[in-house]
Every structure is written in C-alpha cells, then in structure tokens.
Amino acid sequence: MEAVQHESPRISPQQRYAKCIEVSRRIRWDIDRDVLRGRFFDPAHKFMPDGLSQVNRLPFLDARERRLMSQIQGRTYANMFGMIERFVGAKMLEVGRDHALGDQTALEAIVRFTDEELKHQELFRRVEALAALSLPPGYRFIPQADEVAAFVLGKSTWSILALTCCVEIVTQVHYRQSMESDSSLSPLFKDIFLFHWKEESQHAIIDELEWMREDARLDDATRDVAIGDLIDLVMAIDGMMQAQAAADAHYFATMLDRALSDDEEARVHAGLVDAYRWQYIISGVDEPRFGEILSRVISERQGERLGAALAPIRRLALESEPDVLA
C-alpha cells in the first residue's frame, strides 16, 4: 500500500507536508478510471463487515436480512462521509489562507487536500446513485450537508480540526482492520473505501499539523472553550446518528418479507444506534493514535471533562461488547 502511514512528530512539519504532497502526486486516482470502472453494486454482496455493522447482535435475522442490514448501513456510511467532506473541505480552504503568503509547501498540501475532498464528495454522490439502483426505494439520508456544515463551521477552529482529525483516522482504522480482509464484501464497495483510505491517510497528517498549529495559539481558558465546542460537535453527531438509525430501522423493516415483532423492531433500532455510535464516535476517540495526539494538547482535567461527556454514548455503544473489528 502506498498511502502515508503515521509519521513521527520528530520529523519537521514542513517535511511532513512535503511527504503528503509526494504521496498525493503518486497515488492520485480518478473516480471512473480507477474506482468505479463501469461497475454496479451486486445485491448479493454485503457492503459493511459484520464487525462494523454489529449485525451479530441481531440473531433473529436470517442471512438475507443480515445482508440487507449491511447494505443499508453501508449506504449510510458512504453518505455520512460524503456529508463530512463538505465541512472538512470548507475548513481547509479557510486554514490554508494562513499559508498563502508564507509556507508554500504547506499551502500546496492543503490545496491538494481540498481538491481531494471535493473529489470524495463527488465519489459519494455517485455511490448513492449506484446504491439507489441496486436497493429498493424508500431509503432516506436525514442530515442535510449544508446545514450540518454551517453548524460545524460556527464552532472554534480547534474543535473542528480535532473532530476532523478523529474522523480521518477512523476511515483508516475501519478499512485496514475491518474491510480490507473481508472477502465477503462487495468488491466495488471495498474498492471505494480502499481508494478513499489512500488519500485520507495524507489528510489525517495534515489535520494533525493544522490542529497542533492552532493549538499553539491558545491559552488554557480558550482551550476550555474549544473543548466545549468539541463536545457540542460530538453531541450533534450523536443526535444525527440517532435520527438516521430511526430512519434506517424503518426502511429495513419495510423491506422485509415478514413482519418483525415489536421487540425485534426495538432491537433493530437499538442495534443501529449502537452501531452508528461505534462507527462515528467511539471507534475514533478510542483509537490510540487519536488519543496520543489529544493527550499532547489537553490537561488531565480537560480529559476528564471529555470523558464525562462521552460516558453515556460509550455505555450504550458497548452495552453488548461486540467484537467490533472482527
């Protein structure tokens, strides 16, 4: 694999920006030529691996129903990242201005980052169109990308970069530890997230560099405010995921050839809430690389504040202790 792996902080920031540029040039891919290649989704294949979908928590589903659950979650997964790319690209355009009359290596790295984020948005729009062709009608993605971006961009730069860094790391962990080795997944779905992972590997490094640059400007009181913003962002994501879980549970139930019992419907909904909390929140904040970066910039007291805010989400997400990266 050619994507940049986690670089040691001992390497200078300019060297790290330069390495991201080098790899970006080498691995650059085209949506049609390299990723889609004229293919369509085969309804006979899963999209999401069981460890991420947590479908094993729903033993009353048969094989076809489990596959449908995987496909619905995979469709939401692609839409979720397409939505996230909207505010990430906008924020990177903003922080890139700081380098416009200074470090041109950093500027080029961020310009490439932003260009790739725009390409990823197009990719995920194409994925949604392909999913709509292969899955039954009735699916709804609830969050509105521009509304979400406007809310996120109203928060402090520190909090946005922290969230973005976490999300970019999550995409790498999910692909490398869960998707890459699962031969039962749709080959097209795997390729989409393989190519996405390749470029996100550089993005995570740039996120970290810009986050650390922003952190150096803050005093402890200002950082406290930024941590409050980060908590607000995480809670907003949780709210969106709860709404999407409800929509996906309803869509799933209406697509089955049988009626679920009230208890089964409730368990499907709860399973989706927990799976989405794991996918988009807990698997990120628990990732050691993100934790190491975060620990460099916050105090023990601030860490306890974050931990307390996450506790209700964490408790629900890990309630059944699934083998999340199987």
Side-chain angles (χ1 to χ4, degrees):
M1 298 297 182
E2 296 182 283
V4 171
Q5 301 303 311
H6 180 37
E7 300 280 356
S8 167
R10 289 188 293 272
I11 300 173
S12 74
Q14 188 172 51
Q15 288 175 308
R16 298 181 80 195
Y17 284 120
K19 182 65 175 178
C20 289
I21 294 169
E22 174 197 332
V23 176
S24 173
R25 290 170 176 165
R26 187 170 72 245
I27 68 170
R28 185 165 181 82
W29 47 264
D30 177 81
I31 292 174
D32 287 299
R33 182 192 66 225
D34 301 310
V35 185
L36 301 183
R37 306 200 303 274
R39 293 179 290 175
F40 297 87
F41 287 121
D42 182 346
H45 290 140
K46 295 192 306 182
F47 290 0
M48 292 287 276
D50 293 351
L52 287 176
S53 71
Q54 299 189 11
V55 71
N56 292 331
R57 295 183 61 199
L58 306 172
F60 52 88
L61 301 182
D62 64 25
R64 190 190 71 82
E65 293 165 346
R66 290 159 67 94
R67 183 171 63 246
L68 176 62
M69 174 64 74
S70 165
Q71 292 165 346
I72 293 169
Q73 287 201 36
R75 188 173 182 177
T76 289
Y77 190 80
N79 278 320
M80 183 67 175
F81 282 109
M83 179 196 72
I84 289 169
E85 309 274 5
R86 185 72 56 90
F87 68 75
V88 171
K91 192 63 184 180
M92 281 299 155
L93 281 174
E94 178 187 320
V95 300
R97 293 193 192 104
D98 289 349
H99 300 289
L101 301 180
D103 186 342
Q104 298 299 286
T105 301
L107 178 62
E108 181 181 351
I110 292 172
V111 168
R112 286 180 171 276
F113 181 137
T114 305
D115 174 62
E116 289 162 359
E117 293 291 273
L118 289 168
K119 179 175 64 176
H120 297 175
Q121 288 186 57
E122 180 186 352
L123 172 64
F124 289 127
R125 288 193 294 269
R126 300 278 295 277
V127 171
E128 169 55 26
L130 289 171
L133 291 175
S134 68
L135 296 176
Y139 171 86
R140 294 186 305 138
F141 185 66
I142 303 300
Q144 298 297 308
D146 286 338
E147 292 178 7
V148 172
F151 171 78
V152 172
L153 294 171
K155 299 298 183 180
S156 61
T157 295
W158 189 98
S159 66
I160 299 169
L161 292 172
L163 175 65
T164 302
C165 185
C166 183
V167 169
E168 308 274 26
I169 290 172
V170 158
T171 64
Q172 297 171 65
V173 173
H174 288 180
Y175 180 76
R176 292 300 302 273
Q177 296 186 18
S178 197
M179 293 181 182
E180 184 177 37
S181 61
D182 193 334
S183 61
S184 69
L185 300 187
S186 157
L188 174 55
F189 195 83
K190 282 184 71 173
D191 277 353
I192 288 162
F193 284 95
L194 164 63
F195 284 94
H196 183 247
W197 164 76
K198 287 183 176 184
E199 290 183 338
E200 293 297 302
S201 296
Q202 286 80 257
H203 298 182
I205 293 170
I206 296 170
D207 289 330
E208 177 190 345
L209 289 166
E210 290 301 309
W211 183 17
M212 296 302 100
R213 190 172 67 87
E214 175 65 17
D215 183 77
R217 301 173 176 177
L218 305 188
D219 59 24
D220 202 51
T222 310
R223 194 173 295 106
D224 265 340
V225 174
I227 288 170
D229 282 349
L230 179 58
I231 290 170
D232 288 346
L233 291 174
V234 171
M235 294 303 108
I237 290 173
D238 186 52
M240 284 188 290
M241 289 302 93
Q242 290 191 53
Q244 190 61 42
D248 287 354
H250 175 75
Y251 174 63
F252 174 78
T254 60
M255 293 301 106
L256 300 184
D257 296 329
R258 64 183 179 94
L260 296 175
S261 69
D262 290 346
D263 178 66
E264 288 172 336
E265 284 194 14
R267 291 171 68 188
V268 164
H269 178 233
L272 281 164
V273 169
D274 285 357
Y276 290 166
R277 282 175 161 172
W278 168 259
Q279 291 166 24
Y280 304 110
I281 300 174
I282 301 302
S283 65
V285 298
D286 279 358
E287 169 56 30
R289 178 179 168 189
F290 179 74
E292 187 275 326
I293 298 169
L294 183 65
S295 68
R296 285 190 240 147
V297 296
I298 64 171
S299 67
E300 182 178 351
R301 175 185 58 81
Q302 290 165 336
E304 289 172 353
R305 181 183 173 199
L306 276 172
L310 287 168
I313 297 173
R314 183 185 302 281
R315 184 165 56 250
L316 290 169
L318 300 179
E319 194 172 54
S320 62
E321 298 184 356
D323 186 9
V324 290
L325 291 177

